[in-house]
Amino acid sequence: MTDWVRVYADGVAAVAALVTTLTDDELTTAVPATPAWTVHDVVAHLAGTAVDATTDQMDGAPGAAWTQRQVEERRDAEVAELVAELRGTLPSMTPVIEASQPPRLVWNLVVHLTDLTEALGRPAPAPELWQPVLAALRDLVPEPLRGADDYELFRVLFSRRSRAQVAALAGGAQVGDVGVFGGRDDDQPRADAG
């Protein structure tokens, strides 16, 4: 059985390791998977989600207004503050994660961590972070995609690959909009999944 609390804690550590050394220019890099947001905005969303989940501010979750509020409230925060906020919620997140089935807050963090690595042209996060998420959702993978690379399947399932990219992974077969957020037309950058 997957220890989702461990996956979340390891994901927070990976986010912190990635973003605390970024330059101001890198923090303002657009994130293609979430085109309205920069790297800083994604980190603000992650911190805001953790705070909201641990203080029972989930009204409107996971809607656009809820997530945008998180970003706006943290617009002027330094990345070190965002990381401190994210780390500071770890003890309170344990019961939240344990009570959540499926563990969407963990998935959210891991998906956005991979969004960040791809936007910055960095290697994909450790497989120990994204493989459990894929394993939990593998039954959703249509037959034509089952032979595709696991990392790519993980990205497909969260609408992080374009329709053309999905069709290529399926050997040209039409599989429809597989991702949980629907299809997208903009090709996404790819990371080396190691």
Side-chain angles (χ1 to χ4, degrees):
M1 179 160 198
T2 300
D3 181 351
W4 292 111
V5 172
R6 181 196 53 78
V7 173
Y8 185 83
D10 290 350
V12 168
V15 169
L18 174 66
V19 302
T20 55
T21 61
L22 296 179
T23 66
D24 289 343
D25 283 347
E26 289 170 319
L27 289 169
T28 60
T29 299
V31 178
T34 57
W37 286 351
T38 65
V39 168
H40 182 278
D41 294 341
V42 171
V43 179
H45 162 60
L46 293 174
T49 298
V51 169
D52 285 355
T54 58
T55 58
D56 200 27
Q57 296 182 63
M58 300 300 285
D59 289 343
W66 181 71
T67 58
Q68 194 58 38
R69 175 189 50 79
Q70 297 163 347
V71 172
E72 293 304 324
E73 287 176 353
R74 292 162 178 81
R75 174 83 46 218
D76 297 324
E78 296 292 326
V79 74
E81 295 173 89
L82 299 174
V83 168
E85 192 173 34
L86 189 55
R87 284 180 171 153
T89 61
L90 277 172
S92 302
M93 281 298 287
T94 296
V96 173
I97 292 166
E98 289 173 343
S100 301
Q101 291 305 319
R104 288 184 178 96
L105 295 171
V106 179
W107 299 353
N108 180 68
L109 184 121
V110 174
V111 168
H112 284 308
L113 170 60
T114 57
D115 293 344
L116 293 172
T117 60
E118 290 184 356
L120 293 164
R122 305 285 174 88
E128 296 78 25
L129 293 172
W130 56 264
Q131 282 178 337
V133 180
L134 174 61
L137 298 172
R138 192 171 286 280
D139 290 345
L140 300 178
V141 176
E143 184 62 38
L145 284 171
R146 295 209 173 172
D149 173 78
D150 279 353
Y151 178 78
E152 289 300 313
L153 289 177
F154 163 67
R155 299 302 282 159
V156 165
L157 289 173
F158 286 92
S159 304
R160 276 15 190 214
R161 294 296 180 253
S162 70
R163 289 179 178 96
Q165 289 171 312
V166 172
L169 289 168
Q174 296 300 314
V175 294
D177 291 338
V178 178
V180 296
F181 300 110
R184 67 184 314 142
D185 294 319
D186 54 327
D187 282 352
Q188 295 295 296
R190 295 185 174 179
D192 174 13

